[in-house]
Amino acid sequence: MRRALPRRALAAALAGLAAPAMAQPAEGGLARLAAARGVLFGTAVNAQWLREDPDLVRTVLAECGLVVPGLELKWEGCRPGPDSFDFRRADEVVAFAAANRLALRGHTLVWHEALPRWFPASPSAAELRTLLARHVATLGRRYAGRLRSWDVVNEPVEPWDRRPDGLRDSVFLRALGPGYVAEALKMAAEADPAARLVVNDYALELPLPQHEARRRAILELLNRLVRQGAPVHALGIQAHVAAGEAPIDPEVLRRFIRAVASLGLEVEVTELDVGCRLLPADIPARDAAVARTYAELLGAVLAEPAVKLVCCWGLSDRDSWLNTTRFTRRPDGLPVRAHPYDEAWRPKPAREAIARALAAAPVRA
Ligand code: G3I
């Protein structure tokens, strides 16, 4: 005879039917799998998502040991005027992390994008140094001791700008000279001596000439910083990769990570996602190709013990930034399927690939 389900179990089962998005990961979540290997796993979030999307909150709590505010700590996100700061939205994310015992990354103190409208187009050195020093001191001190790592300088290299040092020809470089990276790191170390200070950049992952040039430029920059005694602790590899483009070459990527590690630095994978703009529309095939790329990328980076943190740039296809730029959106107008969960918060093969890669990673000290 079949036993009747207790009322609570029935309600839970029905709720499950109505919302398949709540699938509970059997192995206790990606963060647990990662932690067993000495790796911290998490995602970017923003204050609006935390406020408006209960599925996002549930999934972040089930899967993540770390969050990073994707928008709120950028100049545009917290500095409405040269003399004013607004930390209300950043504080929402920080409070969420504290309430749920999640680690935090800070993103980002110096970036040539996401600058507010009032930001001067061609500041003098003195003007920008004053603005920057106040910015780094204010943000650094406000969250001091609460951030595992700070992306102090984001995207500092651009070999296409044709400078001999490979640095990007940004407003910060033009005003302050190439020493601005070390200057910003020193300001950050003073404001928050506990945080790991990170130089973060993209297009470092693939066996392509432009990625090779960027790897060379960032290694030269890190080398100079270490030689000067600048307080830099890690390289952030953004890892916005794409399926159907150049395949990952594990040896190229691992050799690069070892070169960074040989400078005494850690490596954080800071903004992982896998675009699919070049793949055919068919969803199962696309999901399989995206999952394969997650597996290849993570298989390579996690084999290197210098990598102790992996952060996705969003868990779900629902709010993917990849649909918002012409370089990353699909030419056929279909939404991308670049993240471990789909737009209805159902786990995809990519989530399984991440779980497998974390489970297979060697244990870190
Ligand atoms: O929230 C407003 C919304 O209220 C408004 O209706 C809408 C209209 O444009 O804009 C919304 O804000 C946008 C925000 O994303 C949220 O979607 C901003 O305009 C837009 O500039 C912002 O873009 C972010 C971008 O950085 C600039 O801050 C992306 O979400 C974010 O994914 C992207 O992240 C960067 C990393 O910081 C650095 N590495 C590359 C990565 C991807 O570009």
Side-chain angles (χ1 to χ4, degrees), residues 66 78 85 95 134 190 206 253 279 299 331-332 351 360:
L66 160 124
C78 68
F85 291 86
R134 181 159 175 206
E190 258 169 49
L206 301 177
L253 193 45
L279 297 179
D332 61 11
R351 193 240 166 233

Side-chain angles (χ1 to χ4, degrees), residues 252-313:
V252 168
L253 193 45
R254 291 187 60 182
R255 203 180 314 130
F256 172 60
I257 293 172
R258 284 198 295 271
V260 176
S262 73
L263 298 172
L265 304 176
E266 289 188 1
V267 173
E268 300 189 345
V269 175
T270 52
E271 305 183 17
L272 174 60
D273 48 38
V274 178
C276 60
R277 63 185 302 279
L278 297 179
L279 297 179
D282 179 69
I283 287 182
R286 243 202 294 166
D287 285 356
V290 166
R292 264 198 309 279
T293 302
Y294 271 100
E296 287 163 7
L297 187 283
L298 287 175
V301 299
L302 288 170
E304 290 301 327
V307 178
K308 298 193 171 67
L309 182 148
V310 173
C311 182
C312 291
W313 207 242

Side-chain angles (χ1 to χ4, degrees), residues 46 48-49 70-71 74 76 89 107-108 111 113-114 154-155 200 202 238 240 271 313 319 321 324-325:
N46 68 48
Q48 190 181 352
W49 297 348
L71 305 171
K74 293 169 177 168
E76 186 180 56
R89 286 176 311 143
H107 177 80
T108 172
W111 190 27
E113 287 186 34
N154 194 35
E155 304 176 2
N200 193 44
Y202 65 91
Q238 291 187 3
H240 295 293
E271 305 183 17
W313 207 242
D319 307 289
W321 74 278
T324 67
T325 85

